[in-house]
Amino acid sequence: MRTTTRRRRLAAALATVAATAVVTLASPVPSYADDTDTSSDSQVSQQQYQDLNDVVQKYHPLGVYTADDGSLTMVALPADTPPADENQLESEFPAGMDNVRGYISQFTQADLDQLVNTVSAKQWNADADQYTVGVSYDAKQDEVLVNTDAPDSVTQSLLDAYPDKIEVEQNRFEETANRFDSGSPYYGGMATLNTSDNSQCTSGVAVQNVWTGQRSLVTAGHCGNDGDRFVNRHTDNGWGSFVGTVRGVIKELDAEELRGSQFRGRIWTGGTTYSQSTKDVQSVQQVFPGLQVCVSGSVSMNHCGHPVTNTNYTFTPRSTRGTWISGGNGFTFDQGGRVVGNGWIPGGFTVPGDSGAPVYTQDGTAHIAGINSARLWNTHNCGCWTMVGVKMGPILQAEDADLVHGYDN
């Protein structure tokens, strides 16, 4: 009986409004406001909102929805609210606030807390922990709203488990922590800038000396000379925070270390500028022909499906900094692509600024095959871009180092 009442009231309230923003009941006064009243077109004053907030809090609402234009406010009470309290609440709404509707939710507070905690724990799909998830109660729809950058293939299991209780909204999160706006401890796959000449590169992976325990961040050797200072590169190519100073260039492996900050065993893996996706570093990946690898550059972003084509590549570029790849310690991986219908969609490829980027395989974590060095247009085999990497094993051997793993403190 009460469920029917709740649905009827909810439907009636929704029929009167088109706006869809969820805010707290006590609407904040804009920072530019002065002492004058800042009422909306509905002529509801800030004092009336404050009075309403004082009333509804006595009945422990699950949430409150207010339309942007003030045309509707909805108060959701827990499912176990006594009928007397529901009626009393409505009688106490402030005078002049004809735009307020109260209803009984399908959730108790305990139900809602449990569901929010379940969604936040990200155990509902094996890949859920690779994505950002925001959870809130939507008092307009009487559902738990999940904001996430996870694809439908990941979120469908959540919808199947909680029909009529969950709404999923795919969003792009744009918080400060991403490969272009990072802070210590730093990850691989980060956008970097050499302050000596403003040249762009990408950090590779964190390593740790086996004797001293000192950590450093590996990148391509042609990105800088000993003593050059690197900073995090912002999206506008502006200087960010200090990352490290070049120490120990390994010219014959086109690799070098950045030291002077804290580094962690993770890599950025997002496919868009503001993505926060990362993966823990798990192990070194041995390369072999046909192995499908990913590369996470700061210009071309993250892309996968690249088949390794050569595992003993020697590379002597025309480099102003005099680095090369000797002794077959390089490997190549093609652009690749995929068949769609009767056509072919080419895969991604690295571009200038991606030098040093981690090349890896994935299974929820990252297994590092090496770092990106260069690319060439391959007319001999595929008529596509072929990329050149340096194997991770020889770099670690030359530096007397191990990978810093995601589980390392």
Side-chain angles (χ1 to χ4, degrees):
M1 181 68 178
R2 300 193 72 201
T3 300
T4 302
T5 301
R6 179 184 68 81
R7 291 299 183 190
R8 184 172 64 249
R9 289 185 175 181
L10 191 55
L14 290 173
T16 66
V17 63
T20 59
V22 177
V23 298
T24 57
L25 184 60
S27 301
V29 177
S31 58
Y32 56 80
D34 55 20
D35 292 335
T36 59
D37 182 30
T38 55
S39 302
S40 67
D41 293 339
S42 62
Q43 300 303 307
V44 177
S45 70
Q46 292 293 295
Q47 186 58 54
Q48 285 174 299
Y49 277 123
Q50 182 61 63
D51 293 343
L52 180 62
N53 184 59
D54 293 342
V55 168
V56 301
Q57 292 307 315
K58 295 190 299 183
Y59 298 91
H60 309 291
L62 297 181
V64 178
Y65 161 86
T66 297
D68 282 347
D69 62 0
S71 60
L72 180 70
T73 293
M74 298 177 67
V75 181
L77 298 179
D80 53 0
T81 300
D85 284 357
E86 178 186 358
N87 296 331
Q88 182 66 24
L89 168 65
E90 294 184 350
S91 70
E92 294 182 26
F93 289 158
M97 294 195 74
D98 298 331
N99 60 338
V100 183
R101 305 287 184 269
Y103 70 92
I104 300 297
S105 169
Q106 64 176 316
F107 302 103
T108 64
Q109 185 66 63
D111 293 337
L112 182 59
D113 291 345
Q114 182 178 12
L115 183 52
V116 168
N117 290 337
T118 297
V119 175
S120 299
K122 297 195 284 192
Q123 299 297 312
W124 30 269
N125 186 281
D127 294 326
D129 63 346
Q130 303 299 318
Y131 300 93
T132 301
V133 174
V135 191
S136 62
Y137 172 66
D138 183 351
K140 180 173 182 280
Q141 300 290 350
D142 193 27
E143 293 176 326
V144 170
L145 177 62
V146 179
N147 303 107
T148 182
D149 54 0
D152 292 342
S153 59
V154 173
T155 59
Q156 188 58 50
S157 58
L158 189 60
L159 294 170
D160 292 342
Y162 301 100
D164 300 323
K165 293 184 178 181
I166 294 277
E167 180 180 354
V168 173
E169 184 176 276
Q170 290 185 322
N171 301 91
R172 185 184 73 182
F173 287 84
E174 297 186 1
E175 298 181 9
T176 57
N178 57 67
R179 72 170 86 223
F180 294 95
D181 198 351
S182 186
S184 180
Y186 296 103
Y187 303 167
M190 177 181 58
T192 62
L193 194 71
N194 185 336
T195 61
S196 67
D197 58 8
N198 281 336
S199 58
Q200 302 176 8
C201 275
T202 303
S203 61
V205 65
V207 300
Q208 180 170 295
N209 187 277
V210 296
W211 307 111
T212 66
Q214 182 179 42
R215 290 187 181 184
S216 58
L217 198 59
V218 173
T219 190
H222 66 263
C223 289
N225 297 315
D226 265 316
D228 287 352
R229 290 169 57 86
F230 278 67
V231 296
N232 181 214
R233 171 168 51 86
H234 292 325
T235 53
D236 61 358
N237 295 324
W239 291 20
S241 56
F242 171 74
V243 173
T245 301
V246 176
R247 294 287 185 264
V249 178
I250 313 172
K251 289 185 176 294
E252 68 275 14
L253 293 176
D254 191 25
E256 63 192 20
E257 298 177 70
L258 301 179
R259 300 178 189 165
S261 294
Q262 294 182 326
F263 308 110
R264 188 180 173 192
R266 293 182 72 85
I267 61 171
W268 295 104
T269 58
T272 60
T273 300
Y274 294 103
S275 174
Q276 296 176 283
S277 297
T278 62
K279 289 187 183 299
D280 282 332
V281 172
Q282 181 69 24
S283 67
V284 174
Q285 171 69 60
Q286 300 300 317
V287 293
F288 51 85
L291 176 71
Q292 297 278 324
V293 297
C294 304
V295 59
S296 185
S298 62
V299 180
S300 64
M301 303 299 160
N302 192 76
H303 37 94
C304 297
H306 305 297
V308 171
T309 52
N310 189 301
T311 60
N312 295 281
Y313 198 72
T314 297
F315 181 54
T316 307
R318 184 181 62 187
S319 172
T320 58
R321 292 194 169 101
T323 60
W324 65 97
I325 305 173
S326 66
N329 285 316
F331 64 100
T332 62
F333 49 103
D334 281 352
Q335 183 176 347
R338 58 193 175 92
V339 176
V340 178
N342 296 324
W344 173 260
I345 297 179
F349 52 88
T350 57
V351 296
D354 288 335
S355 291
V359 183
Y360 67 100
T361 61
Q362 59 181 348
D363 60 0
T365 59
H367 304 271
I368 309 299
I371 60 173
N372 180 60
S373 179
R375 67 175 185 176
L376 60 99
W377 182 251
N378 190 340
T379 58
H380 179 70
N381 290 329
C382 61
C384 68
W385 286 108
T386 289
M387 291 153 279
V388 179
V390 188
K391 298 173 189 174
M392 198 68 230
I395 294 176
L396 294 175
Q397 184 176 8
E399 295 180 335
D400 285 332
D402 289 329
L403 288 175
V404 178
H405 303 98
Y407 49 78
D408 294 331
N409 292 326

